[in-house]
Amino acid sequence: MQRILLIEDDEAISEMVRSYLVKESYEVETAFDGEAAEMIFRSSSSAFDLILLDLMLPKRSGTDILQTIRASSLVPVLIMSAKDSDVDKALGLGFGADDYITKPFSMIELAARVKAAIRRAGYASSSGKGNEPVPLLQKRVTLHGLTVDLDNFSAQKNGVEVKLTAKEFQILKLFLTHPGQVFTKAQIYGVVWADDYYGDENVINVHMRRLREKIEDDPSRPEFIKTLWGIGYKLGEPAH
């Protein structure tokens, strides 16, 4: 029997999902906040084959829990969230989630996604490897002389450490993990600040200027994050 950890703070939704998956022959353990989820994940005596994770959790956020999971495990993670936008999906998947389903969803669709995620990962109930520590490959991206370690949250420019604030690093990571994608200021704000955007361009402008001053050879002619006037920003092309 394949084991699922269901992390959802809404007890009604949790019970509905748990009951359906039990009928589908899964063993389901539940957590209702981020701290409880982490404790269950770290202390579980046997492996989970999949984790269903809500993003909006009390005590610790869903993205925090996802990062904790990915620090030691490759178990499939399926995000459940009421936030229905491409940026929210990109954020979740960029942190290492395997799939994303938007609330409200049908139980049939959820079950299909659960089955597909477990199958893709090659997990089985007898594997015993779902949440054992797994050494993950560090994600290093090099562009225009800047090397960014996405796992260790560090950056070097021509071999010299670049001291970035948390927000500056999140902005840089957003573009590095989505090359070719154009982000509006509202989308950047939604991802990095995790809040609704009310048209305060100054916040984005200041952070973008400071980031460019740290990573660009010539901040007035940026190579890393290009401005598309009237639209937004995108990652610059590698030098040829």
Side-chain angles (χ1 to χ4, degrees):
M1 182 177 290
Q2 293 167 327
R3 298 184 69 226
I4 295 174
L5 174 57
L6 170 59
I7 308 170
E8 165 63 63
D9 66 317
D10 187 313
E11 295 189 20
I13 294 177
S14 178
E15 178 57 27
M16 179 178 63
V17 171
R18 188 198 67 79
S19 297
Y20 190 90
L21 292 177
V22 167
K23 290 178 182 178
E24 292 292 307
S25 299
Y26 294 102
E27 179 183 341
V28 182
E29 190 162 351
T30 58
F32 301 105
D33 62 66
E35 289 183 358
E38 181 178 3
M39 183 175 65
I40 292 171
F41 177 76
R42 292 188 184 279
S43 63
S44 180
S45 59
S46 57
F48 289 107
D49 297 289
L50 179 130
I51 294 176
L52 284 169
L53 176 63
D54 183 21
L55 286 182
M56 305 297 290
L57 295 171
K59 297 186 180 180
R60 288 196 65 195
S61 70
T63 51
D64 281 347
I65 296 303
L66 179 53
Q67 288 177 297
T68 297
I69 292 168
R70 280 292 170 261
S72 64
S73 175
L74 296 175
V75 60
V77 177
L78 173 58
I79 286 179
M80 307 181 297
S81 179
K83 292 186 174 182
D84 185 15
S85 75
D86 290 338
V87 176
D88 289 318
K89 294 175 184 179
L91 172 62
L93 298 174
F95 271 116
D98 296 271
D99 200 359
Y100 189 110
I101 189 168
T102 303
K103 299 175 183 177
F105 47 77
S106 72
M107 291 296 100
I108 294 175
E109 180 186 5
L110 177 65
R113 287 178 180 267
V114 165
K115 183 177 181 180
I118 294 175
R119 184 178 64 246
R120 283 197 305 267
Y123 278 81
S125 58
S126 60
S127 69
K129 297 180 181 179
N131 57 5
E132 294 177 0
V134 177
L136 301 180
L137 294 176
Q138 290 188 342
K139 299 177 183 177
R140 288 181 174 269
V141 180
T142 300
L143 182 68
H144 301 295
L146 181 72
T147 299
V148 181
D149 190 323
L150 300 177
D151 288 333
N152 292 329
F153 303 97
S154 62
Q156 290 186 336
K157 174 73 172 176
N158 297 324
V160 179
E161 182 182 2
V162 178
K163 296 186 181 298
L164 300 175
T165 67
K167 289 290 190 288
E168 290 165 354
F169 190 91
Q170 289 176 49
I171 293 172
L172 182 59
K173 181 177 180 178
L174 175 64
F175 287 95
L176 290 175
T177 53
H178 300 87
Q181 183 170 342
V182 177
F183 288 93
T184 66
K185 291 180 179 179
Q187 289 173 326
I188 295 170
Y189 194 87
V191 171
V192 176
W193 279 264
D195 199 357
D196 293 329
Y197 180 71
Y198 295 104
D200 184 5
E201 295 188 355
N202 188 54
V203 174
I204 300 296
N205 293 342
V206 169
H207 280 80
M208 194 66 72
R209 184 180 71 249
R210 290 176 177 171
L211 175 61
R212 282 171 166 168
E213 288 172 351
K214 294 179 180 181
I215 66 175
E216 300 283 0
D217 291 330
D218 182 357
S220 63
R221 301 179 65 184
E223 295 292 332
F224 291 97
I225 301 177
K226 299 278 193 178
T227 299
L228 281 67
W229 296 108
I231 302 175
Y233 303 91
K234 68 174 293 186
L235 187 71
E237 297 293 332
H240 296 289

